[in-house]
């Protein structure tokens, strides 16, 4: 028991939403005094013509990431659900990813925050989270192939995804090892999926956009233990 108290379970909370709601979410995180917060710009994968028909405007998205103890992540997911109305049209999704460890200083900061939320009564939030069996699939491909990734993923049962731009590090070493030509600029396609669909989606992406294709894609997955808005 003492060992569990010294090493609390951590979660990476990820929110994918519109820029306007991301500003509101950032204020919610600041109010919770969370010390770690990252914001990334991204795009939704719905075609522009569909967005026009639905009257949803831009497909610009923001990805907000914060690290926190599990019990606090449950509380924050509940707040995001109620204040951002996750699950409604053009709102967003939020989910948590289990982490194995963290920097000792950061661990002490996060544990203190969790204790303060307990003492303030926020640890007994009425929005109790239920365990959900989902997976986050990440496909890293050359620029211009995110559409091919989503076509393959949708054919295997995926409903949608989010695209972020990135820069590949260690390009020379990887190219030398695999004997491949790799672009420095990459697109990362994030897809939230039910666990039972994960393998088929990853297989579809690999077959169409794998390392031996022009997309030069890498596909991986992470477990998701709680989700809102999906």
């Amino acid at each position: 028991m003492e060992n569990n108290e010294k090493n609390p379970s951590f979660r990476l909370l990820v929110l994918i939403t519109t820029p306007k709601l991301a500003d509101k979410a950032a204020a919610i995180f600041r109010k919770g005094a969370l010390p770690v917060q990252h914001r990334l710009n991204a795009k939704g994968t719905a075609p522009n013509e569909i967005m026009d028909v639905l009257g949803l405007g831009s497909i610009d998205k923001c990805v907000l990431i914060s690290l926190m103890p599990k019990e606090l992540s449950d509380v924050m997911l509940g707040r995001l659900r109620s204040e951002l109305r996750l699950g409604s049209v053009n709102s967003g999704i939020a989910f948590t990813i289990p982490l194995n460890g963290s920097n000792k200083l950061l661990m002490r900061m996060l544990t203190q925050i969790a204790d303060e939320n307990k003492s303030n009564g926020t640890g007994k939030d009425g929005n109790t989270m239920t365990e959900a069996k989902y997976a986050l699939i990440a496909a890293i491909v050359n620029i211009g192939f995110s559409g091919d990734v989503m076509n393959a993923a949708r054919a295997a049962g995926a409903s949608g995804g989010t695209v972020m731009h990135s820069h590949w590090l260690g390009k020379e070493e990887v190219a030398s090892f695999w004997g491949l030509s790799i672009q420095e600029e990459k697109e990362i396609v994030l897809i939230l999926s039910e666990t039972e669909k994960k393998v088929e989606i990853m297989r579809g992406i690999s077959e169409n956009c794998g390392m031996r294709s022009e997309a030069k894609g890498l596909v991986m997955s992470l477990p998701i233990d709680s989700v809102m808005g999906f």
Side-chain angles (χ1 to χ4, degrees):
M1 291 296 293
E2 290 181 0
N3 194 37
N4 289 336
E5 290 177 0
K6 293 180 180 178
N7 298 282
S9 177
F10 289 98
R11 294 294 184 270
L12 197 66
L13 191 154
V14 181
L15 171 68
I16 302 176
T17 187
T18 64
K20 183 177 180 179
L21 289 181
D23 292 337
K24 188 174 182 179
I28 295 173
F29 285 140
R30 285 195 299 270
K31 188 176 180 180
L34 294 170
V36 179
Q37 189 180 130
H38 299 280
R39 179 168 176 165
L40 307 171
N41 293 323
K43 294 189 298 182
T45 57
N48 288 329
E49 55 269 24
I50 294 179
M51 300 298 287
D52 292 338
V53 170
L54 296 177
L56 298 181
S58 173
I59 60 173
D60 289 341
K61 298 291 182 181
C62 283
V63 180
L64 206 60
I65 303 173
S66 188
L67 177 66
M68 62 194 73
K70 181 184 184 303
E71 60 183 13
L72 183 54
S73 71
D74 291 344
V75 175
M76 293 304 298
L77 278 173
R79 291 177 181 170
L80 292 173
R81 178 183 63 180
S82 60
E83 297 189 35
L84 303 186
R85 297 182 180 180
L86 296 182
S88 60
V89 177
N90 203 31
S91 56
I93 59 173
F95 53 89
T96 55
I97 303 173
L99 298 180
N100 292 327
S102 183
N103 175 277
K104 288 184 178 179
L105 175 60
L106 179 59
M107 183 180 292
R108 287 199 299 271
M109 295 169 65
L110 293 170
T111 302
Q112 181 180 352
I113 291 171
D115 292 340
E116 289 176 353
N117 276 275
K118 280 183 181 179
S119 63
N120 292 331
T122 54
K124 297 180 180 180
D125 193 282
N127 298 314
T128 302
M129 298 301 302
T130 56
E131 294 298 319
K133 295 182 179 180
Y134 292 92
L136 178 67
I137 300 170
I140 306 172
V141 294
N142 286 339
I143 292 292
F145 287 91
S146 59
D148 294 340
V149 169
M150 283 310 306
N151 287 338
R154 286 194 176 98
S159 57
T162 302
V163 181
M164 299 187 296
H165 290 276
S166 67
H167 184 84
W168 185 280
L169 299 177
K171 178 174 75 76
E172 293 79 8
E173 291 82 355
V174 174
S176 175
F177 182 81
W178 292 102
L180 299 170
S181 176
I182 300 178
Q183 294 180 2
E184 290 187 3
E185 297 300 320
K186 294 285 182 177
E187 289 178 332
I188 301 177
V189 183
L190 301 178
I191 301 169
L192 193 61
S193 165
E194 293 90 347
T195 301
E196 57 267 23
K197 295 181 180 180
K198 180 187 71 174
V199 174
E200 287 300 318
I201 293 174
M202 294 180 70
R203 181 182 292 119
I205 295 173
S206 296
E207 290 177 352
N208 291 275
C209 304
M211 288 296 291
R212 297 189 180 279
S213 69
E214 292 185 17
K216 297 293 186 291
L218 294 172
V219 187
M220 65 194 77
S221 68
L222 292 169
I224 301 298
D225 60 349
S226 296
V227 63
M228 278 290 181
F230 183 70

